Amino acid sequence: MLSHEQIWSAIDRLAERHALTASGLARRAGLDPTSFNKSKRLSQDGRLRWPSTESIAKVLDATGASMEQFLGCMRSVESTSSAADRAFPLPTSSIPLLGFAQAGAGGFFDDGGFPVGQGWDMVEFPVSPGQKGGVYALEVQGESMLPLYRDGDVLIVEPGAQIRRNDRVVVKTREGEVMAKVLLRQTARSIELLSLNPEHPNRSFDLADVEWIARIIWASQ
């Protein structure tokens, strides 16, 4: 079991490694700057407050740290917490894994971009119970996403998650093209996407030509 102290201390240690305060780390991760303040770690009635899996995923994405490095930060903390404090588990579940080339084929996703069908491999990843039914992994193939994502990197994708400007996303078009981009702008009729590789052009699509769009919540790099 992982303790409240270990989780928060790991976040503090990760911030220190990047010469950041807790507020600076939250800001880099696209979160409210007060998200990791010490005052936010306990509720007004004294109950423990935990960072969400989504917040941790954003921190790892922003710093380039791996889940193994984050867990290493937690293991290095000497826990002196109470029994109630030690009761927080970080569950690991098997989630579907597919290559980008396979993802362009039919039969692997429903209309909302959620994984269905057969032929998926599986990979272990910590997910909350509410995410487990939809989160999946895509393995980068080729060099079209350099320098951010390399061949063999694994992107963890959450369909149905709220998407905002500058989020990294995976988009599948109705013609079967699958791509990882940065969302620049979305209107009621179209989306504009920034390419991760400067050698590839930015893209724009009518929403009618997009089968689904899902947010990247973490990447193994």
Side-chain angles (χ1 to χ4, degrees):
M1 296 295 182
L2 302 174
S3 73
H4 181 266
E5 180 185 357
Q6 284 176 311
I7 292 284
W8 283 114
S9 293
I11 289 174
D12 290 338
R13 285 173 180 241
L14 197 58
E16 290 172 4
R17 289 182 182 181
H18 291 269
L20 296 168
T21 63
S23 295
L25 179 62
R27 189 178 294 108
R28 178 180 288 191
L31 302 168
D32 186 292
T34 66
S35 297
F36 299 151
N37 286 4
K38 294 188 184 300
S39 61
K40 294 291 186 74
R41 302 179 187 188
L42 292 174
S43 63
Q44 291 184 347
D45 59 6
R47 287 180 297 175
L48 303 178
R49 297 180 67 177
W50 302 84
S52 68
T53 304
E54 180 180 3
S55 295
I56 293 173
K58 286 188 173 183
V59 164
L60 297 181
D61 190 36
T63 60
S66 68
M67 180 59 72
E68 290 76 16
Q69 289 171 325
F70 187 74
L71 292 173
C73 288
M74 287 190 285
R75 284 192 292 267
S76 66
V77 176
E78 181 104 20
S79 176
T80 58
S81 55
S82 65
D85 197 359
R86 292 193 297 270
F88 176 74
L90 188 63
T92 299
S93 298
S94 295
I95 62 174
L97 169 69
L98 199 68
F100 264 76
Q102 292 173 288
F108 289 103
F109 304 95
D110 64 16
D111 292 341
F114 288 86
V116 296
Q118 305 297 319
W120 294 82
D121 289 328
M122 303 299 290
V123 64
E124 295 295 313
F125 185 75
V127 295
S128 67
Q131 289 178 312
K132 185 176 178 180
V135 171
Y136 61 89
L138 290 175
E139 184 177 359
V140 174
Q141 297 167 324
E143 301 180 350
S144 64
M145 301 175 201
L146 288 172
L148 187 59
Y149 300 134
R150 299 165 295 179
D151 184 60
D153 285 347
V154 174
L155 310 184
I156 306 299
V157 178
E158 184 180 5
Q162 181 180 3
I163 298 174
R164 295 169 293 185
R165 184 178 181 182
N166 295 324
D167 279 347
R168 295 170 188 172
V169 296
V170 173
V171 175
K172 183 178 181 182
T173 70
R174 297 200 180 278
E175 295 183 351
E177 186 178 4
V178 180
M179 65 198 83
K181 304 286 184 183
V182 175
L183 180 65
L184 285 181
R185 185 169 180 262
Q186 180 172 353
T187 69
R189 296 184 178 180
S190 64
I191 58 170
E192 298 177 15
L193 304 170
L194 173 68
S195 289
L196 304 173
N197 188 329
E199 296 183 1
H200 289 251
N202 296 342
R203 306 288 296 274
S204 297
F205 295 96
D206 291 337
L207 285 180
D209 296 327
V210 174
E211 185 169 326
W212 51 257
I213 179 170
R215 184 156 58 88
I216 298 171
I217 61 171
W218 188 79
S220 68
Q221 297 174 290

